[in-house]
């Protein structure tokens, strides 16, 4: 049985929960990787400045990596 037909039999709530969990885990991993990558370059910076620097790669990562991955797994 193809994977697409198995997914179509799952209740919509299960698919939404799977999408939600995938997004949460992806966002958590992505922000931690970004902050880890920025930490050598931003010692002593105020938290608002580090966050401002982390937002653009976070948005790009969510739009082009995490959300497509989550949609592919729940479509």
């Amino acid at each position: 049985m193809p994977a697409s037909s198995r997914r179509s039999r799952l209740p919509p709530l299960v698919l939404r929960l799977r999408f939600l969990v995938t997004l949460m885990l992806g966002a958590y991993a992505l922000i931690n990787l970004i902050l880890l990558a920025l930490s050598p370059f931003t010692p002593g910076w105020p938290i608002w400045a580090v966050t401002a620097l982390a937002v653009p790669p976070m948005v790009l990562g969510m739009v082009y990596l995490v959300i497509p991955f989550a949609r592919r797994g729940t479509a």
Side-chain angles (χ1 to χ4, degrees):
M1 176 182 303
S4 61
S5 64
R6 276 184 280 157
R7 281 193 208 109
S8 64
R9 291 188 303 159
L10 291 174
L13 179 62
V14 173
L15 293 175
R16 287 179 190 232
L17 289 174
R18 184 187 299 174
F19 182 70
L20 173 70
V21 169
T22 305
L23 282 182
M24 287 173 48
L25 292 174
Y28 178 79
L30 183 61
I31 194 63
N32 280 302
L33 286 172
I34 292 169
L35 291 175
L36 182 65
L38 290 175
S39 64
F41 306 107
T42 58
W45 285 29
I47 192 71
W48 64 266
V50 177
T51 305
L53 198 57
V55 167
M58 180 66 182
V59 170
L60 290 173
M62 289 297 294
V63 169
Y64 292 110
L65 296 173
V66 177
I67 293 172
F69 178 77
R71 291 196 68 190
R72 186 181 63 208
T74 59

